[in-house]
Amino acid sequence: MTAFDDSGLAPALLQAIADLGFETPTPVQAKVIPAFLKGTRDMVALAQTGTGKTAAYGLPLLHLTVLANAVPQGLILCPTRELCLQIAKDLNSFAKHMRGLKVLAVYGGAPIDTQLRALHRGVHIIVATPGRLNDVLRRKRADLTAVKWVILDEADEMLNMGFQEDLEAILGAAPDTARTLLFSATMPRAVAAMAGKYMDDPEEILVGHRNSGSDTVRHECYVVHAKDRYPALKRIIDCQPSLYGIVFCRTRAETQEVAAHLMSDGYNADALHGDLTQVQRDRVMHAFRTRKLQLLVATDVAARGLDVNDLTHVINYNLPDDADLYTHRSGRTGRAGKEGISIVIANIREEYRLRSLESVVRKRFTHKPVPSAREVCQSQLATVLEKIKGLKVDESRLGPYLPAIDAALASMSREELARRLVAQEFNRFLEYYSDAPDLNVRTQERPARFERRDGDGRSPRPVNRDGEGRPPRPEFRDGGGRSDGPVTRLVVNLGRRNALTPPTLMSLINRATRGPMLRIGRIEIGEDTSLFEVCGADARDLIQTMNHTHYENRQVRVMPQGRFYDGHGPRDAGGRPNQVRPPFRGARLGGAVQH
Ligand code: AMP
């Protein structure tokens, strides 16, 4: 008896669910199963990987499939060969008590003839990657006329991977009467456009927030100088001996380099990237899935479709360009209800990017100090001791050797023996970390805002980034005369002509930002454009977020002064450039903006 019993699914499926040990429907299953079984509308479901979505659509699809009719009735499209095989495997395990049901995986990188022959013999459900299925369709070797359900799994990934044309051809070949269900972890514009074009008034199913990260993932950040990225990675790994995770890199070369370093430093790691042959890929993935590898160093593309549920960590060795990719990376941990940690190793220049990631995953990063050499050694020592305590000694096999062991070690005290035993494993760490420096970026090297967030309460000392001999750039100063960093002047494409006033500009800034307070300096409203001052550390972020907003139906455009309209700043009513007065002195409008 499980909570699935009232779902209306056939007894054969309920039996399979019970065999698999599923007791309670996951949130996406609780919403999708009844809607799929009882409803008739198309469906768009926003759900992360690892939330149980294969069963969410797979179980009702199997329930509704007519076994007597061995023609394709259900079509599932997904981005990678690995995911394709995984979905087919899952469907077969759900259908293990449904005799005669045929599921076929159709994917690239494998001989097409075998797949064509299997199609010819008759199947009920096709699980396919778009490129290969389109190839099959062009050869006129698949008949989709009886397809009643089309499921797009990981639609965002399919579009990211350039399958748009293949998808359109396939969706065009499926009957208009087919019901379409789209699953996606994020909802970029391209996915929404596809839903708009091929789906009819779809029902929206939201599990968690739009484009948000998984609830069970914690996000942590370590800030280091770029040159310390690799030693910081090592410390993070060394401090968490039970870590089992993926280290994400941006390029194949970086993936290879990091994996090679880790391997030569004695870690159980390997690389997964696009230069590997399919056989090499399969070997690495298998080793990782079966935990023979502790760490997989991978590019985003190569890690797609890798389905491992119990990763403890995802480490962003370098941040991806696209915030949605960060959602995908972090969603590889914290799956199936388990807790996971997504770590970002950032250098000081990248710190501002964390803010846009925070708004995408709707979670705050916890800023953590890179563990000191002593902390790493303590953590390793605890592991070595646990290992020794948990070691099973097979007396019967060791028996014949005991006299020799006793004789050789008789002169040593218990303490001496214990020390040597520990040293055998521990020396490597003691040696490596003997003169290891502090890798944390010192307070005065970091932008003000992030220091405040770390909670040390101190403002950084002013830094003259313009170099010696030149006057320091203007800075915000608080009541005690301490600096908040240099000022940046921004120009916005709004002015009196758009009824912009200082308060409306402030509220525009407020709406575009969230999180810690921003300080706004001088505001000058011009006729068509206006100027305002912000703390330099906030400027890039603010530009990014404000440029996604609208004011009075007008797309807001913000830029640093000097890069706007060929270098012209705000203009007055007569078209003359506004005078920009000397640096901000403290007469700020409204003072700090509190969010
Ligand atoms: P998926 O998102 O479909 O890749 O599923 C993620 C993992 O969760 C798979 O290993 C499933 O076997 C497992 N799973 C799916 N539904 C349930 C459930 N109701 N109870 C427990 N585990 C589940």
Side-chain angles (χ1 to χ4, degrees):
M1 184 81 187
T2 71
F4 282 98
D5 288 353
D6 300 332
S7 60
L9 291 167
L13 291 167
L14 293 178
Q15 183 57 51
I17 295 169
D19 295 348
L20 285 167
F22 296 2
E23 288 175 358
T24 321
T26 64
V28 69
Q29 290 162 2
K31 288 188 177 171
V32 171
I33 294 175
F36 194 160
L37 282 181
K38 294 176 195 126
T40 50
R41 284 170 65 190
D42 287 347
M43 198 187 293
V44 172
L46 272 161
Q48 295 278 318
T49 51
T51 50
K53 62 185 161 60
T54 318
Y57 64 72
L59 292 167
L61 175 65
L62 291 166
H63 175 96
L64 295 167
T65 300
V66 180
L67 281 178
N69 201 7
V71 293
Q73 299 166 46
L75 173 61
I76 301 165
L77 297 166
C78 63
T80 62
R81 160 198 147 108
E82 283 77 22
L83 188 58
C84 182
L85 287 166
Q86 182 65 41
I87 294 170
K89 188 165 149 246
D90 286 353
L91 292 185
N92 277 320
S93 71
F94 303 149
K96 71 180 204 187
H97 301 297
M98 289 174 68
R99 287 193 49 190
L101 181 99
K102 292 229 164 25
V103 177
L104 179 68
V106 174
Y107 51 90
I112 197 165
D113 289 338
T114 324
Q115 294 169 0
L116 295 177
R117 279 197 297 275
L119 269 172
H120 185 68
R121 284 195 297 272
V123 299
H124 297 94
I125 295 172
I126 298 175
V127 189
T129 51
R132 175 54 65 91
L133 182 63
N134 204 15
D135 192 353
V136 172
L137 288 178
R138 278 196 300 263
R139 296 170 189 229
K140 304 206 182 317
R141 300 293 293 273
D143 180 6
L144 302 185
T145 49
V147 166
K148 289 197 211 142
W149 304 279
V150 178
I151 292 152
L152 306 170
D153 195 346
E154 301 204 357
D156 49 354
E157 285 290 282
M158 286 196 276
L159 293 179
N160 275 341
M161 290 175 73
F163 282 133
Q164 170 118 15
E165 276 181 25
D166 290 313
L167 281 176
E168 301 216 350
I170 295 165
L171 291 172
D176 287 346
T177 48
R179 202 173 160 197
T180 307
L181 291 86
L182 182 151
F183 290 80
S184 197
T186 59
M187 189 48 68
R189 216 170 285 160
V191 176
M194 171 152 289
K197 190 163 168 194
Y198 290 98
M199 300 174 82
D200 186 20
D201 181 30
E203 181 174 356
E204 255 204 37
I205 293 196
L206 206 63
V207 183
H209 293 286
R210 213 166 250 274
N211 294 350
S212 74
S214 161
D215 281 346
T216 50
V217 179
R218 287 209 314 270
H219 300 261
E220 295 179 352
C221 170
Y222 296 83
V223 180
V224 295
H225 288 290
K227 68 174 174 44
D228 290 331
R229 219 182 269 278
Y230 180 70
L233 171 69
K234 278 185 65 161
R235 288 202 195 179
I236 294 164
I237 299 169
D238 286 344
C239 229
Q240 328 230 17
S242 58
L243 187 150
Y244 172 49
I246 304 180
V247 179
F248 278 103
C249 296
R250 278 157 57 106
T251 61
R252 292 171 192 187
E254 187 179 73
T255 305
Q256 259 165 335
E257 194 186 313
V258 172
H261 271 116
L262 285 172
M263 285 189 268
S264 78
D265 284 342
Y267 295 87
N268 217 346
D270 209 339
L272 189 70
H273 53 75
D275 285 345
L276 303 182
T277 62
Q278 193 60 48
V279 175
Q280 289 171 319
R281 265 177 77 84
D282 288 346
R283 186 186 54 73
V284 174
M285 286 207 194
H286 179 73
F288 187 56
R289 276 199 199 98
T290 52
R291 289 202 176 222
K292 289 192 183 82
L293 285 180
Q294 179 195 8
L295 295 161
L296 188 69
V297 188
T299 55
D300 292 286
V301 175
R304 279 178 184 144
L306 178 70
D307 191 58
V308 182
N309 278 334
D310 42 3
L311 297 186
T312 61
H313 290 73
V314 159
I315 302 179
N316 294 266
Y317 187 73
N318 257 311
L319 280 173
D321 289 329
D322 181 349
D324 279 349
L325 271 182
Y326 179 78
T327 313
H328 279 285
R329 285 182 177 186
S330 58
R332 301 209 158 266
T333 182
R335 294 168 61 130
K338 296 193 181 88
E339 298 264 303
I341 297 178
S342 174
I343 287 176
V344 171
I345 305 176
N347 71 36
I348 38 178
R349 270 186 233 103
E350 291 167 327
E351 236 185 329
Y352 75 93
R353 294 185 53 200
L354 297 176
R355 223 167 156 213
S356 49
L357 297 184
E358 284 180 335
S359 56
V360 170
V361 295
R362 291 171 188 259
K363 292 266 188 75
R364 280 255 177 266
F365 277 92
T366 309
H367 286 243
K368 301 194 88 172
V370 181
S372 66
R374 196 180 169 82
E375 282 167 324
V376 174
C377 288
Q378 272 165 348
S379 164
Q380 284 295 335
L381 177 63
T383 313
V384 171
L385 293 176
E386 278 307 308
K387 205 163 141 191
I388 293 172
K389 281 201 274 181
L391 202 67
K392 291 212 168 60
V393 178
D394 186 341
E395 296 280 350
S396 61
R397 291 203 179 154
L398 205 59
Y401 308 99
L402 281 176
I405 297 170
D406 290 343
L409 303 177
S411 60
M412 262 181 238
S413 69
R414 183 181 173 279
E415 287 74 19
E416 175 72 10
L417 263 177
R419 275 181 203 140
R420 283 174 185 246
L421 190 61
V422 171
Q424 196 190 3
E425 289 232 16
F426 195 41
N427 272 359
R428 171 163 83 98
F429 288 96
L430 285 178
E431 227 166 82
Y432 178 79
Y433 284 107
S434 62
D435 289 316
D438 178 9
L439 298 185
N440 290 290
V441 176
R442 278 168 300 144
T443 306
Q444 60 265 42
E445 295 171 284
R446 299 176 62 177
R449 198 184 70 219
F450 297 104
E451 280 311 316
R452 249 189 261 121
R453 236 203 251 178
D454 279 354
D456 69 0
R458 282 168 296 156
S459 283
R461 286 213 311 269
V463 181
N464 176 7
R465 291 169 199 219
D466 291 358
E468 259 181 284
R470 287 170 57 190
R473 278 162 53 183
E475 296 168 343
F476 281 152
R477 289 176 186 280
D478 65 15
R482 283 165 301 189
S483 165
D484 266 354
V487 162
T488 296
R489 295 197 183 91
L490 301 180
V491 183
V492 60
N493 64 334
L494 302 168
R496 275 189 289 278
R497 204 187 287 283
N498 314 95
L500 191 77
T501 60
T504 50
L505 178 59
M506 299 283 272
S507 79
L508 194 64
I509 296 166
N510 275 342
R511 271 193 278 129
T513 53
R514 54 191 279 275
M517 66 186 200
L518 286 192
R519 301 187 121 191
I520 305 300
R522 186 201 311 284
I523 292 180
E524 289 176 23
I525 305 291
E527 189 58 22
D528 296 312
T529 60
S530 302
L531 182 143
F532 61 102
E533 294 174 339
V534 291
C535 170
D538 294 327
R540 267 180 94 155
D541 244 358
L542 187 62
I543 291 171
Q544 270 192 0
T545 47
M546 279 190 81
N547 280 339
H548 284 106
T549 59
H550 285 81
Y551 178 80
E552 305 279 309
N553 290 330
R554 193 182 158 95
Q555 167 84 51
V556 175
R557 298 254 295 125
V558 180
M559 284 219 171
Q561 188 192 17
R563 269 198 259 152
F564 205 72
Y565 296 153
D566 300 316
H568 297 296
R571 290 175 179 271
D572 64 18
R576 291 175 298 272
N578 266 351
Q579 278 287 310
V580 175
R581 289 191 297 270
F584 174 78
R585 290 270 178 258
R588 73 183 72 114
L589 186 136
V593 183
Q594 183 73 54
H595 303 285

